[in-house]
Amino acid sequence: MNKRQIFKTLAGVLGLTLSLAAPATAQMTIRYAHVGSEGDIQHWYAEEFAKRVEKRTEGRIKIQVFPNSQLGGASETIDGVRSGAIPMAHHEFGSLTRLLPEIGAFAAPFIYRDGTHAMAATDPNRSEVMKEVSDRLVKQANIRVIGRLYRGARQMTAKMAIYSPVDLKDKRFRGVPLPLWTTMIKGMGAIPTPVEVAELPTALMTGMVIGQENPLTMINANKLYEVQSHAMLTSHMQNVLPVFINERTWQSVPEKDRAILGKVAAEVGEETLKLGLEAEVKLIDELKKKGMTFITEKEGLKVDEFRKSVNAQVNADFPSWKPLMERIAAVQ
């Protein structure tokens, strides 16, 4: 064996030794879908979650975010996470009712005292009622809730002033394409008209619907002030979105990295509460400058009439939710 062959052999042995001593770090990429626009606080959550997970797992876990319904609307997203075609997502609790009907109680109108209460009741790590329901979701649908985020209180907007359910009689009003929203819009006195969020600006512009309801962050991010003149501060929902993952994907993540995912989900979720509450105050002034007129109880908005009418419709359409709703409302 000549010197060249000897050196080549030694280099190969040395390379093998180094590779055995320092194995390559395993990497996993998890696709994360949501329907929100890039300017919405829910997209901030997804992006921030992705950045922190990659950093804290030292690159072992990478989260690839797909906003703005890129992987489909609400139904496609839920079906995708259930099958594993979409590993991870966030959306309304109401969107999960096809898989576990009672989970929709966490999105029931007028159930929470405020945003802090809503986040406490939906915490998958500390809320006993949330943990119980999440465990049932795993067993029945192969989906696990690992976090939640706060988008703010949902408010009504319209092309006119609305003061009570009487003002919405025989008027087409947009609702999220989910049964709970159909119930709620009906309770508000209007004709429920399901429209996907990506199609909402066009539906408002063309007069297909005269109004809609969403957090102020979404109303501003999607420039709905260009097609809506009035905002009614009903705060009928504290909009908390569950963050969920396909169970097989979850179990394929190493235990130490699952702990990181859960911790980051909780941490960034709490930050959305702070950001959401701050944004609600600032956005009222900002949207006023953009031409919107705000109507509160001071201006004659009859929130109690909306509450009474909507609650009656929810109790009629979802009678089995009552015990669960009482437990959720009692969370401190």
Side-chain angles (χ1 to χ4, degrees):
M1 183 179 291
N2 59 37
K3 288 184 178 180
R4 187 174 182 180
Q5 289 175 317
I6 291 172
F7 284 130
K8 191 174 182 180
T9 301
L10 287 173
V13 172
L14 180 59
L16 177 61
T17 302
L18 289 173
S19 66
L20 291 173
T25 302
Q27 288 189 350
M28 173 185 289
T29 298
I30 298 175
R31 294 190 304 157
Y32 183 153
H34 69 85
V35 303
S37 66
E38 285 84 346
D40 197 313
I41 194 170
Q42 59 179 308
H43 184 59
W44 178 87
Y45 174 93
E47 288 281 275
E48 196 63 27
F49 175 82
K51 290 175 189 175
R52 297 188 198 185
V53 165
E54 182 170 355
K55 181 178 180 180
R56 295 189 195 177
T57 62
E58 299 178 332
R60 294 186 300 276
I61 307 293
K62 293 189 176 183
I63 308 294
Q64 187 177 9
V65 179
F66 293 85
N68 207 28
S69 304
Q70 288 180 28
L71 300 185
S75 296
E76 293 86 356
T77 298
I78 300 305
D79 291 340
V81 178
R82 185 181 192 183
S83 69
I86 299 174
M88 187 174 177
H90 68 247
H91 201 266
E92 302 286 349
F93 277 105
S95 66
L96 294 168
T97 55
R98 289 189 298 116
L99 309 179
L100 188 70
E102 63 265 34
I103 201 169
F106 287 97
F110 299 109
I111 193 173
Y112 298 115
R113 296 184 294 275
D114 51 31
T116 301
H117 176 215
M119 289 291 281
T122 55
D123 187 339
N125 300 310
R126 298 181 181 181
S127 168
E128 289 301 322
V129 63
M130 183 72 256
K131 284 191 281 187
E132 287 177 22
V133 175
S134 180
D135 286 344
R136 291 204 290 273
L137 188 65
V138 171
K139 292 176 183 176
Q140 290 190 209
N142 202 39
I143 291 176
R144 178 181 296 271
V145 176
I146 64 167
R148 74 277 189 253
L149 65 106
Y150 183 72
R151 292 182 69 209
R154 295 182 79 99
Q155 314 290 2
M156 296 171 58
T157 68
K159 294 181 178 180
M160 63 199 73
I162 303 293
Y163 295 96
S164 76
V166 173
D167 296 325
L168 285 173
K169 183 175 174 56
D170 298 326
K171 293 182 173 62
R172 295 170 65 86
F173 198 89
R174 182 263 178 173
V176 178
L178 296 168
L180 176 58
W181 265 260
T182 298
T183 291
M184 182 176 72
I185 300 305
K186 193 186 300 181
M188 288 176 168
I191 299 171
T193 308
V195 178
E196 288 286 357
V197 67
E199 301 165 3
L200 181 53
T202 301
L204 292 167
M205 188 182 304
T206 60
M208 175 185 173
V209 291
I210 62 100
Q212 62 86 54
E213 51 78 50
N214 256 303
L216 296 181
T217 51
M218 183 276 185
I219 292 165
N220 187 58
N222 288 269
K223 299 182 179 180
L224 299 189
Y225 50 81
E226 294 180 349
V227 288
Q228 299 277 267
S229 59
H230 290 73
M232 282 57 67
L233 297 184
T234 48
S235 298
H236 50 274
M237 279 183 174
Q238 295 295 330
N239 201 198
V240 177
L241 306 185
V243 180
F244 44 90
I245 191 168
N246 173 271
E247 181 64 11
R248 287 189 298 275
T249 299
W250 179 251
Q251 294 302 331
S252 70
V253 176
E255 187 174 351
K256 66 177 181 179
D257 289 335
R258 289 203 300 266
I260 292 172
L261 287 172
K263 186 174 181 179
V264 173
E267 175 185 293
V268 184
E270 290 301 327
E271 289 178 28
T272 62
L273 175 62
K274 182 175 183 293
L275 290 172
L277 294 176
E278 290 174 352
E280 286 178 335
V281 175
K282 294 176 183 176
L283 283 172
I284 291 176
D285 287 335
E286 189 172 332
L287 288 168
K288 281 181 179 178
K289 291 176 183 177
K290 292 176 179 178
M292 294 198 82
T293 298
F294 279 76
I295 296 176
T296 69
E297 289 182 280
K298 184 179 179 181
E299 286 77 41
L301 181 63
K302 296 173 181 171
V303 177
D304 284 340
E305 287 190 18
F306 278 109
R307 181 184 292 109
K308 183 178 179 180
S309 181
V310 169
N311 284 344
Q313 194 66 52
V314 170
N315 290 334
D317 292 353
F318 303 100
S320 64
W321 287 8
K322 189 172 181 180
L324 187 58
M325 288 171 64
E326 289 175 350
R327 289 182 65 192
I328 293 169
V331 172
Q332 296 301 314

